Amino acid sequence: MRTRTLASSLAAAGALALGPGVLLSRMLHRAGFDPATDRLPEPYTVRVTAIAPGRLTLRPAPGAPPNAHLEPGRYLLDAARGQASLGPILETNGVVAIRAYHHLLGSLRAGDLARLDPFAYPGDPRQAHGLAFEEVQIHAPLGSFPAWYIPGQRDTWAIMVHGKGANRRETLRLLPLLTAVGFPALAITYRNDEGCPPAPGGRYTYGRDEYEELEAAIQFALGLGAQRILLVGYSMGGAICLSLMERSDLAPRVAGLILDAPMLDLRSTIAHGARQRRIPVRYLAISNRIAARRYRFDWDDFDYRRTAIDLQVPVLLFHGDADPVVPVATSDSLAAARPDIVRYVRVPAAGHVRSWNVDPEGYADAVQHYLAALA
């Protein structure tokens, strides 16, 4: 009787431990691996309460985080009826914030709901910066993938890779700094992007497979006369760049990397997210195993820390110390391990891929110095 009771207790304890693990593995798949989640519309987080010449007053939208209107830095204010360039906070009492403002498109009115778009610029290279560009097709094993091609005079090309759930507009903040000094540039797409071929399994693989589209983009550039390649990667785009450095025969063509909040290790990123949501990290030991078995992947395929440490080309690394998505500690470790090749710009108060937004002048200065040395 005692043995049966003990067995029953152990079974019940196992079920209690397994239950959160199963739930977390499903949450992980939905938030981390399912592209459909990233295609849901971004919610409106702020409400416009007043508009004056050069000044716009915001407060949080109903149900939004209470500090949504206090995000530091520069953004694109995106509303249903219009868009504006939104600058730093000029005044705030916490309840409302008055920010620098420049009208761009449509009409904005007091009462409108809007969102702060960190990509900062609307449209495409021409609309954002007046840059001539072509929409080209990159032919990869899975099919054709659109890319923006901005011509330049140099034989080193910049190939720019956006992050998970983002799009090519993510590159618009950096793009004019590259073209100003003559770098031709490609802002590419990859599998599971909206309008692009899906992955065979329909899931993100954090660079393990997406690097094939980047490899095809390098081949495209080489076919048009490129001699060297500068890789630019944001968040998961950084993982894709490092996956190429690990897996591709074209890696020797890469002359340098600019990485912005790169996802260097998915396990660390998942643990960081759990801590942000106050989920006990001990549950991850179970949920990670369940997820790997259910969705048929190996966590080691998404760990690029050793690849990054073993790089032999110069790296410009940006990361905000308030990043809620990718732990800044992973970039700290890379910078500490390779001070000989890594120039590290750790930006106070910057969230995920927000280093430019918080300090655009400092960001530009770091990029310009890096590009001068790369040339």
Side-chain angles (χ1 to χ4, degrees):
M1 183 69 175
R2 181 175 297 177
T3 302
R4 184 179 302 170
T5 302
L6 178 58
S8 299
S9 299
L10 289 172
L16 287 172
L18 190 62
V22 171
L23 177 62
L24 285 175
S25 71
R26 291 173 179 167
M27 291 172 58
L28 171 62
H29 177 261
R30 185 169 60 252
F33 289 89
D34 186 355
T37 303
D38 290 323
R39 296 191 185 124
L40 298 173
E42 291 288 334
Y44 290 128
T45 56
V46 295
R47 186 187 293 277
V48 178
T49 62
I51 302 175
R55 298 160 68 91
L56 182 141
T57 305
L58 298 174
R59 68 183 306 144
N67 62 345
H69 60 318
L70 300 176
E71 289 284 347
R74 302 182 186 181
Y75 296 85
L76 176 70
L77 185 73
D78 183 31
R81 292 186 291 197
Q83 292 180 322
S85 177
L86 196 66
I89 297 169
L90 303 175
E91 301 175 38
T92 184
N93 62 3
V95 178
V96 299
I98 300 173
R99 306 185 70 133
Y101 149 83
H102 174 71
H103 177 263
L104 293 175
L105 298 170
S107 63
L108 289 171
R109 303 174 190 173
D112 283 354
L113 294 174
R115 63 178 67 88
L116 303 187
D117 184 332
F119 299 165
Y121 296 100
D124 55 39
R126 183 177 289 109
Q127 184 179 354
H129 303 298
L131 293 172
F133 77 100
E134 295 179 42
E135 180 91 358
V136 299
Q137 295 293 321
I138 304 296
H139 300 292
L142 281 187
S144 293
F145 294 82
W148 290 334
Y149 165 49
I150 302 90
Q153 299 78 44
R154 300 199 180 202
D155 62 8
T156 299
W157 286 42
I159 301 183
M160 312 177 77
V161 190
H162 67 75
K164 182 181 88 69
N167 56 58
R168 287 175 286 176
R169 280 200 312 111
E170 188 164 33
T171 69
L172 293 174
R173 293 167 292 183
L174 175 59
L175 186 57
L177 298 174
L178 298 169
T179 59
V181 291
F183 282 81
L186 283 173
I188 71 168
T189 55
Y190 50 85
R191 65 191 68 191
N192 294 319
D193 279 354
E194 193 166 3
C196 291
R203 303 184 186 100
Y204 296 120
T205 59
Y206 291 89
R208 187 195 68 191
D209 305 317
E210 292 91 347
Y211 87 92
E212 291 182 350
E213 286 83 76
L214 177 54
E215 185 177 60
I218 294 176
Q219 291 170 333
F220 178 92
L222 296 176
L224 291 180
Q227 297 298 311
R228 302 192 304 165
I229 302 296
L230 167 64
L231 296 181
V232 179
Y234 300 86
S235 191
M236 190 179 93
I240 294 172
C241 292
L242 290 168
S243 180
L244 180 127
M245 298 301 292
E246 178 181 311
R247 295 177 166 96
S248 176
D249 291 339
L250 295 180
R253 291 286 197 160
V254 175
L257 296 96
I258 298 177
L259 301 175
D260 195 328
M263 199 292 297
L264 299 179
D265 175 44
L266 186 57
R267 274 174 294 207
S268 300
T269 300
I270 296 300
H272 182 61
R275 285 189 289 268
Q276 296 288 313
R277 294 164 180 79
R278 299 185 179 179
I279 297 171
V281 176
R282 66 180 182 274
Y283 290 144
L284 298 184
I286 299 170
S287 64
N288 285 356
R289 286 200 299 271
I290 293 171
R293 181 175 298 177
R294 174 173 290 182
Y295 306 118
R296 299 179 181 177
F297 64 80
D298 185 333
W299 285 99
D300 289 340
D301 288 341
F302 314 136
D303 184 349
Y304 301 102
R305 290 173 295 180
R306 174 50 55 188
T307 300
I309 287 173
D310 289 343
L311 290 172
Q312 298 300 317
V313 295
V315 177
L316 177 58
L317 176 62
F318 294 98
H319 213 134
D321 69 4
D323 192 331
V325 178
V326 174
V328 69
T330 55
S331 287
D332 292 345
S333 296
L334 172 58
R338 292 302 306 273
D340 55 323
I341 63 166
V342 176
R343 178 175 182 183
Y344 187 26
V345 183
R346 195 180 198 268
V347 182
H352 187 53
V353 201
R354 303 287 202 277
S355 293
W356 180 95
N357 303 80
V358 170
D359 185 12
E361 291 80 13
Y363 197 101
D365 183 67
V367 170
Q368 288 162 352
H369 278 86
Y370 174 81
L371 295 179
L374 188 68

